[in-house]
Amino acid sequence: MKVLYERVAGIDVHKDMIKVAIRSPGDKPWTRKTEILEFRTFYGVLQQMARELRKRGVTHVVMEASGVYTEPVYYALCEQDFEQVAVINPAHAKALRGHKTDAKDCARLAELFECGLLRGSYIPAPELKEVRDLTRYRMKTVQARTSEIQRLGKALESAGIKLGSVASSITGASATAMIEALIDGERRGQVLADLAKGRMRAAGKLADLSMALTGRFTEHHALLCRLHQDRIAGFDGAVAGLDERIAGKVTRWQREQGLLTSVPGFGDVVAWAWLAEIGPAPHRHFATHEKLASWVTLCPGNNISARKRKHGRTGDAGTYIKPMLVQAAWAAIRVRGRLQARYNRLVRRFGGDKNPAAKKKAITAIAHTLLKIAYQVLKSGTPYQDLGTDFYTRRESPGHKQAWLERQLQKLHPGCAVTITISPLEAALTPVA
């Protein structure tokens, strides 16, 4: 197999030690030699390793992605003028069972990469990496807040307080006022229900609230609720602080953020997550939106054998961006337009409104569509223009089908002129002798 790069280094990364395999020309033109080196993972040692590789004439370096342990190695190598430092998906260079050692791992990486059989993953620029760290921490903080709200709900249920059965949220203004009154010692359901505000003051609601707020709420439950309320307030403040910091860091991509927020379902938080995880110019790193969807694992996998197509579910990658796109999809289908029409068509195709699995499949497909729209919006630099609720009806019209068939003929025969002659109905119905 043809060697594309003369001097390649493959690195197997671990927490406290890394192995480096250097592939270089051998004594004869058709031979290659491999040298194995070992280094510790202190950053000063990593910088020394990078200088040593450059001194030995290494031009390309490849390593498997190993989470946070990869980052200091990658940035230490980037300080030197290597032609390429690639971080690859470990699944693309998986070892055979029974033939795996650290030395063989790094040597196999170098051998595959020197022949062009491995492709580096997308690594964000340092300024985008800072935004990514903040957006990911924001997501974890929101998840911790949600867990704390669930614990608060369990404490209320344990006390026989069925507030969650009447109020849509136990963290709203009315529900919070009722819980605070419970903690302060108020136990009369009617008095607690009178704290309701807005639509919760409807006659039927007030009666239900009075019954829901009567239970066996003790001082122990008051202590638990106080602890949960304080934690929720702390998380609220943390999320607000992170929002402020993220907004300050993404100002340099204000144009791209504006383009993204023109897409239905994309608010500031989803746009921040996109910029952090995929970047402001995805077309520079992913040749097509299909490749981007595969990287995010929002498209079904292929599982075909002997001409039989088996079930191909989406993958597990895209841990941070995929949930945000699904969240955006749920918001997008609430807006009248092409996406809502597509969702309704997909639900009918997958099993109907009464089938929860059909809705989940359809919303994943809408998230995939949003990814494609955002990719094209950033690539073209033009805001999203909705095609309308009647898009699919117009697409199936005779005139639209005829125009599509004409375009297909012109693709088969470039430069041809298509002339359509429609025979009278009587001639069309006359049988041919």
Side-chain angles (χ1 to χ4, degrees):
M1 190 173 292
K2 183 179 179 180
V3 174
L4 299 181
Y5 312 121
E6 287 295 331
R7 294 184 180 273
V8 178
I11 302 179
D12 186 54
V13 181
H14 295 279
K15 180 180 179 181
D16 300 317
M17 177 271 297
I18 61 173
K19 291 270 189 174
V20 181
I22 303 175
R23 295 274 294 172
S24 57
D27 298 332
K28 299 178 181 179
W30 59 86
T31 61
R32 303 278 290 171
K33 65 179 181 179
T34 303
E35 184 178 0
I36 306 295
L37 306 177
E38 183 175 324
F39 297 91
R40 301 186 72 181
T41 54
F42 300 120
Y43 197 74
V45 179
L46 295 177
Q47 291 176 314
Q48 180 184 350
M49 172 203 69
R51 291 191 293 267
E52 177 67 21
L53 294 181
R54 286 302 296 135
K55 190 184 301 183
R56 291 170 179 259
V58 172
T59 57
H60 294 72
V61 184
V62 59
M63 70 186 85
E64 289 183 352
S66 300
V68 70
Y69 303 130
T70 305
E71 293 185 18
V73 182
Y74 176 81
Y75 288 113
L77 292 168
C78 288
E79 294 176 3
Q80 302 297 320
D81 57 341
F82 293 100
E83 292 185 23
Q84 184 180 5
V85 180
V87 180
I88 63 130
N89 188 335
H92 296 169
K94 192 174 182 181
L96 293 174
R97 181 173 295 180
H99 297 270
K100 185 184 184 311
T101 65
D102 293 343
K104 287 184 178 180
D105 283 348
C106 58
R108 182 176 60 259
L109 288 174
E111 291 173 12
L112 293 174
F113 191 74
E114 72 184 6
C115 300
L117 298 178
L118 296 177
R119 185 174 65 247
S121 300
Y122 164 64
I123 303 295
E127 56 271 16
L128 275 175
K129 179 64 171 61
E130 295 176 3
V131 179
R132 176 182 285 189
D133 290 340
L134 291 176
T135 54
R136 290 185 174 186
Y137 185 60
R138 183 190 186 280
M139 179 179 285
K140 293 295 185 184
T141 306
V142 171
Q143 291 172 350
R145 178 183 180 275
T146 303
S147 298
E148 203 64 34
I149 293 172
Q150 292 172 343
R151 295 187 189 102
L152 174 61
K154 288 182 178 180
L156 293 173
E157 289 285 345
S158 173
I161 305 297
K162 309 292 289 186
L163 182 59
S165 300
V166 182
S168 59
S169 171
I170 61 172
T171 57
S174 299
T176 300
M178 296 170 192
I179 294 172
E180 291 292 339
L182 280 168
I183 294 173
D184 292 340
E186 182 59 60
R187 299 292 183 267
R188 291 169 294 176
Q190 187 63 44
V191 175
L192 293 168
D194 196 49
L195 297 173
K197 303 174 183 177
R199 288 179 296 177
M200 287 186 68
R201 294 198 65 83
K205 280 271 190 179
L206 285 174
D208 289 344
L209 279 172
S210 179
M211 292 187 291
L213 292 168
T214 303
R216 45 172 295 274
F217 198 89
T218 65
E219 291 300 321
H220 173 68
H221 296 113
L223 173 62
L224 288 178
C225 289
R226 178 77 276 154
L227 294 173
H228 295 319
Q229 288 283 68
D230 291 344
R231 291 273 289 172
I232 293 169
F235 286 129
D236 287 337
V239 171
L242 286 169
D243 286 345
E244 185 177 350
R245 289 179 178 273
I246 295 170
K249 285 187 174 290
V250 299
T251 50
R252 60 183 302 179
W253 300 287
Q254 200 68 35
R255 172 181 167 273
E256 288 79 4
Q257 183 180 349
L259 290 171
L260 287 172
T261 51
S262 70
V263 180
F266 271 65
D268 287 338
V269 175
V270 180
W272 295 342
W274 176 287
L275 293 172
E277 299 296 330
I278 301 176
H283 51 281
R284 295 180 184 174
H285 309 285
F286 304 93
T288 62
H289 60 75
E290 288 90 352
K291 292 186 180 296
L292 175 59
S294 177
W295 183 73
V296 178
T297 64
L298 259 179
C299 58
N302 287 326
N303 187 7
I304 303 174
S305 180
R307 297 183 179 179
K308 294 181 180 179
R309 187 181 185 91
K310 303 178 182 179
H311 179 66
R313 62 182 295 276
T314 57
D316 297 325
T319 309
Y320 291 92
I321 187 60
K322 191 195 302 187
M324 300 303 293
L325 289 172
V326 171
Q327 176 183 323
W330 283 115
I333 63 171
R334 297 173 65 89
V335 180
R336 285 181 58 81
R338 179 230 169 177
L339 292 171
Q340 187 184 73
R342 174 170 167 77
Y343 172 77
N344 293 332
R345 287 165 59 92
L346 289 172
V347 169
R348 288 195 298 269
R349 184 197 303 176
F350 292 149
D353 286 333
K354 296 184 179 180
N355 187 344
K359 294 183 178 180
K360 290 181 180 180
K361 290 180 182 178
I363 209 66
T364 302
I366 296 299
H368 186 186
T369 303
L370 285 176
L371 179 139
K372 293 191 291 184
I373 291 173
Y375 179 95
Q376 294 298 338
V377 161
L378 290 173
K379 184 178 180 180
S380 64
T382 56
Y384 173 73
Q385 297 292 330
D386 194 271
L387 299 175
T389 55
D390 60 342
F391 169 73
Y392 293 101
T393 305
R394 287 187 282 108
R395 191 178 68 171
E396 294 171 358
S397 65
H400 191 282
K401 287 185 177 180
Q402 178 177 317
W404 181 81
L405 290 171
E406 290 180 19
R407 289 196 300 271
Q408 298 304 308
L409 285 172
Q410 289 171 350
K411 285 182 180 179
L412 289 173
H413 306 285
C416 71
V418 180
T419 303
I420 300 175
T421 303
I422 301 177
S423 301
L425 183 61
E426 296 79 6
L429 294 177
T430 303
V432 179

